Amino acid sequence: MASSSNKFHYHYDPNNDSMNQFFQEQFNNQFEAAEEEISEEPSTRIYIDRQREEGHERLWNDYFSDNPTYTTRQFRRRFRMNKSLFLRIVNRLSEEVPYFKPKKDATFRNGFSPLQQCTEAIRLLAYGIGADSVDEYLRISESTSRKCLEHFVVGIVDLFGTEYLRRPTQADLQRLLFYGELRGFPGMVGSIDCMHWKWKNCPTAWKGMYSRGTGKPTIVLEAVASQDLWIWHAFFGAPGTCNDLNVLDQSPVFNDIIYGRAPEVTYYVNGNEYNLAYYLTDGIYPEWATFVKSIPQPQHPKHRLFAEKQEGARKDVERAFGVLQSRFAMIKNPSLLWSKGKIAYIMRACLILHNMIVEDERD
């Protein structure tokens, strides 16, 4: 007897609306769930039409027109230099640095003028403010402001570094020796000391090398300054853990003497002839013929007089540091940069601008 079994088979029926509706609902639910899981694409940067032409026109009418809004004295206070010196810097940069040359964009619209770019860089150096602090006035964005500052300091170092960070020439030495002798120190060509610049964003791996004790990381500047505050020698980059002696071991301040390139110097003290110029220093420096230190705890009247004169003349370099930090608040405030190379460029540019201002206002 043959047995029969019941077999169930599903046959797709295109006319079955209920089944089609069921599968369509399942598909829609899966698709909506997948859409929720996909994250939204990042939005593009918002374009702001800052009307940079109006920024240039406002700057021109305020300071550089035939009848400016603000006086020459206000320009000197806000730009840290006379207008003639600032225009000299702007013209040199616009002629020899491609970034500062006037240019047009793809729509033949004028870009930022050299006056706007250099003013932006000077304001950042002089006030130590954020990169977007003068956006409302100069119409320059934060990222463009940083680029202006970077190209400005590099241009200043490349174009003016040879002249304004030079070693004293024979004529310079004669002038320094003349003023040194008038102050009672024949053969003195300046005073030497070190200054620390705080580095807020020092990399964590370097903090132990740049921090002294529990203090903040710093970078050391060694400088030699004369009575008129001209800085003749600058060595920057030593870690903050170094004292003045450690920095002196790394410094090239005596390279010309070592290699026989130093100009000849002749002066007389108490009837004796000397041929080696010297610097005034504080007590930490070694007992070298090129250093003249004060007398600690002087008892004799002559010793007290010498200590008073030496300590008074040695303050030239301290005054130079104070004026440098007052003119450029960026190097007075802790540095927010990460790159040590960029920090070094900013320091050298400030030193060059300082010497340019000293030369322009010397008389």
Side-chain angles (χ1 to χ4, degrees):
M1 181 177 178
S3 62
S4 62
S5 60
N6 295 328
K7 296 183 179 179
F8 298 93
H9 298 282
Y10 170 73
H11 298 282
Y12 173 72
D13 185 3
N15 296 324
N16 191 346
D17 295 335
S18 61
M19 190 60 68
N20 290 338
Q21 185 179 0
F22 172 77
F23 281 112
Q24 186 65 34
E25 291 177 356
Q26 294 295 325
F27 175 78
N28 291 338
N29 293 336
Q30 294 293 334
F31 184 76
E32 291 176 0
E35 279 189 333
E36 294 179 357
E37 293 179 0
I38 298 176
S39 59
E40 296 182 359
E41 295 183 359
S43 59
T44 58
R45 182 163 50 179
I46 300 176
Y47 172 73
I48 300 176
D49 187 6
R50 288 180 166 81
Q51 300 295 331
R52 53 179 175 266
E53 296 87 356
E54 295 181 3
H56 169 75
E57 184 177 357
R58 185 185 300 111
L59 177 64
W60 178 266
N61 293 331
D62 286 346
Y63 295 105
F64 302 101
S65 63
D66 295 335
N67 188 21
T69 304
Y70 300 104
T71 63
T72 304
R73 182 176 181 180
Q74 290 171 315
F75 182 95
R76 169 65 180 80
R77 186 178 64 192
R78 295 171 182 172
F79 286 76
R80 303 297 195 259
M81 63 185 72
N82 293 323
K83 187 184 301 184
S84 58
L85 177 59
F86 179 77
L87 292 177
R88 173 192 167 195
I89 294 173
V90 173
N91 293 334
R92 186 80 181 273
L93 290 174
S94 61
E95 291 175 359
E96 302 187 32
V97 179
Y99 184 82
F100 293 98
K101 292 182 179 180
K103 54 183 74 72
K104 297 180 181 292
D105 60 12
T107 61
F108 298 99
R109 181 183 175 188
N110 291 328
F112 294 107
S113 66
L115 283 177
Q116 286 174 283
Q117 295 170 323
C118 294
T119 301
E120 175 72 23
I122 286 293
R123 290 295 175 90
L124 295 182
L125 293 175
Y127 292 99
I129 53 182
D132 62 342
S133 299
V134 290
D135 186 7
E136 299 90 345
Y137 179 66
L138 295 175
R139 302 295 183 179
I140 299 180
S141 64
E142 181 180 2
S143 59
T144 307
S145 298
R146 287 195 294 265
K147 290 182 180 179
C148 290
L149 178 62
E150 292 177 8
H151 287 85
F152 181 82
V153 296
V154 173
I156 290 294
V157 173
D158 292 343
L159 297 180
F160 301 100
T162 304
E163 179 180 0
Y164 290 97
L165 278 183
R166 68 179 186 273
R167 304 288 294 167
T169 62
Q170 190 66 38
D172 295 331
L173 276 177
Q174 294 300 325
R175 185 175 70 254
L176 293 175
L177 292 173
F178 173 76
Y179 286 110
E181 188 170 1
L182 287 181
R183 303 173 70 185
F185 292 94
M188 186 264 290
V189 292
S191 53
I192 185 172
D193 205 351
C194 293
M195 181 189 79
H196 290 252
W197 184 11
K198 291 184 180 179
W199 189 5
K200 181 179 179 180
N201 288 336
C202 175
T204 304
W206 293 359
K207 284 188 176 180
M209 180 172 60
Y210 285 84
S211 302
R212 178 180 297 180
T214 59
K216 300 294 183 180
T218 59
I219 307 177
V220 183
L221 167 69
E222 181 192 68
V224 173
S226 56
Q227 183 183 13
D228 59 357
L229 304 184
W230 184 290
I231 296 177
W232 294 101
H233 160 77
F235 173 68
F236 179 76
T241 52
C242 297
N243 57 21
D244 295 3
L245 291 179
N246 304 134
V247 176
L248 182 65
D249 291 338
Q250 309 172 37
S251 172
V253 62
F254 294 126
N255 282 0
D256 290 346
I257 298 177
I258 294 174
Y259 296 108
R261 299 192 301 261
E264 295 183 1
V265 176
T266 301
Y267 60 93
Y268 295 88
V269 177
N270 295 330
N272 299 320
E273 180 180 348
Y274 296 91
N275 298 317
L276 188 63
Y278 59 86
Y279 304 106
L280 300 183
T281 66
D282 54 15
I284 192 175
Y285 283 86
E287 300 287 345
W288 292 357
T290 52
F291 294 143
V292 172
K293 302 189 293 184
S294 179
I295 300 176
Q297 299 179 354
Q299 303 296 327
H300 195 274
K302 290 184 177 181
H303 294 172
R304 288 196 295 269
L305 177 63
F306 176 83
E308 178 183 352
K309 295 294 184 179
Q310 194 274 349
E311 292 171 4
R314 190 185 62 82
K315 294 300 181 182
D316 293 343
V317 66
E318 302 288 354
R319 290 169 47 230
F321 289 150
V323 172
L324 182 68
Q325 292 179 331
S326 298
R327 281 176 175 161
F328 306 106
M330 178 170 282
I331 62 176
K332 180 180 181 181
N333 301 331
S335 176
L336 302 179
L337 298 176
W338 295 89
S339 172
K340 186 179 176 182
K342 293 180 180 180
I343 296 176
Y345 262 111
I346 290 176
M347 175 59 76
R348 293 186 63 191
C350 290
L351 293 170
I352 293 170
L353 292 173
H354 169 81
N355 284 345
M356 295 177 74
I357 296 171
V358 169
E359 181 189 58
D360 184 63
E361 302 177 355
R362 180 176 289 163
D363 297 333

